[in-house]
Amino acid sequence: MFKNFIALVCGIIFSLGLLVSEMVSPKKIQDFLDITGQWDPSLALVMAGALLTLGGLQQLFIFKRPRPLLEEKFFVTNNNAIDLRLIIGAAIFGLGWGLAGFCPGPAIVALTLNPLEASLFVAGMVLGILLFNRLNRLNSASDPDL
Amino acid sequence: MTIANFTPYSALIGGFLIGLSAALLMLFNGRVAGISGILAGLSVPKMEDGLWRIFFVIGLILGPIFFKIFSIELPQTQLSGFWMMWLGAGLLVGYGTQLGSGCTSGHGVCGLARLSLRSLAATLTFMFVAGLVVFLSRHVFSAGV
C-alpha cells in the first residue's frame, strides 16, 4: 500500500537527517545539554532547520489543503492542555534523555550502528511503554497525541 | 562556557531532512512524525492503522545503510556508563514520552512547528531536566561521562 511506502521513505529521510547532523551521537547530545561546559550548539540548529522546513511547508501549503493526499483527515491533536501529566512526563523523559543522550529516534537508528548498547536502551524503552500501557492507559481514555 | 565541536552546516542540513520527512508524512498520510507516538501506536492492541508505523521504524533502521552510500564515515553512537544505566534510561524515556505524549520529534519539532504552547512547555521541561542531569553528572558527580 502506498501509505506504507511513504512511511518507509519518510523513515529513511528522517534517519538520514539524524545521521548527517550526528544527532544519533549521545556525546553530541550531551555536549549540547552541557551549556556550562564545552558547549556544542548544533542541536539548536537541527531544530531550527527542521522547524523552518516543517513549519513553512505546513502553514504555506499542507494545512491549506482540506485533507492529506492519502487520508481523509489530518491526524493532529487539538489538546492544548498544559497539565501536570504533560510536565511530569516530559521531566521523566528529560531525566532518561540526559542520562543516556538517546531519545527515541536516534536510539532506533543506532540499533544498526551499535546494536549491543542501543538494543539495551531500546529494550528499556519498550518496557517503559508497556509499563505505561499497564499503569495508565487502561485507566484513562486519553491517548498520546503525538 | 566555551563553544566546541559546533557543526552548523551538517546540523542545518540534517534539520532540513527531518523537517522534510515530517512534512511529507503530514502531506501524504496526515500523520505526525513523532517517534514516541509512532512507537506507542505499535504497542497498543488496536493495530488497524498500525502497519505504516512498522514501515516508518524499518526506514529509521535502514537509514544507516543508505547513509553509507553517500558518506565516508558514520557518526559515533557509543553510550557512556554501564548497561544497567542504559536500560534504566530507556525505561525512563519510554515511560516519560508516553505520559508526556511526545519526545524531541513530537513536541520539539512537530508540535513547535504548529506553534503549540503545550509542546513548548514540554520541550522546555525536558530540555531543562536533561540539562540538569548532564550538569550534575559532568560537573558535580563526574560519573564517568
Side-chain angles (χ1 to χ4, degrees), chain A residues 48-58, chain B residues 12 15-21 23:
Chain A
L51 282 174
L52 285 174
T53 306
L54 177 62
L57 287 172
Q58 277 183 165
Chain B
L12 279 172
F16 164 74
L17 288 172
I18 291 166
L20 180 69
S21 160

Side-chain angles (χ1 to χ4, degrees), chain B residues 21-33:
Chain B
S21 160
L24 289 173
L25 196 66
M26 187 56 77
L27 173 64
F28 280 90
N29 295 8
R31 296 286 180 174
V32 174

Side-chain angles (χ1 to χ4, degrees), chain B residues 46-131:
Chain B
K46 55 174 178 91
M47 276 284 292
E48 67 262 31
D49 73 328
L51 203 54
W52 71 272
R53 300 166 189 273
I54 297 173
F55 278 87
F56 190 94
V57 171
I58 292 172
L60 286 179
I61 293 171
L62 290 179
I65 296 159
F66 285 86
F67 191 69
K68 268 189 188 153
I69 302 169
F70 302 107
S71 175
I72 315 107
E73 61 172 328
L74 287 157
Q76 288 295 316
T77 53
Q78 258 71 52
L79 291 165
S80 54
F82 54 101
W83 71 271
M84 264 168 56
M85 214 174 104
W86 309 333
L87 197 69
L91 196 79
L92 292 169
V93 168
Y95 188 85
T97 52
Q98 299 312 305
L99 189 66
S101 310
C103 58
T104 341
S105 51
H107 282 310
V109 174
C110 297
L112 290 187
R114 291 197 314 273
L115 306 176
S116 156
L117 287 177
R118 175 174 155 83
S119 288
L120 180 64
T123 305
L124 292 175
T125 303
F126 64 66
M127 289 260 179
F128 174 76
V129 174

Side-chain angles (χ1 to χ4, degrees), chain A residues 35-51:
Chain A
I35 50 168
T36 63
Q38 303 263 300
W39 190 46
D40 176 357
S42 304
L43 187 146
L45 280 193
V46 177
M47 278 185 71
L51 282 174

Side-chain angles (χ1 to χ4, degrees), chain A residues 112-134:
Chain A
T112 315
L113 302 169
N114 180 7
L116 216 69
E117 295 180 0
S119 58
L120 271 165
F121 182 90
V122 170
M125 204 164 75
V126 171
L127 278 175
I129 295 173
L130 295 176
L131 187 72
F132 175 81
N133 286 342
R134 197 64 184 269

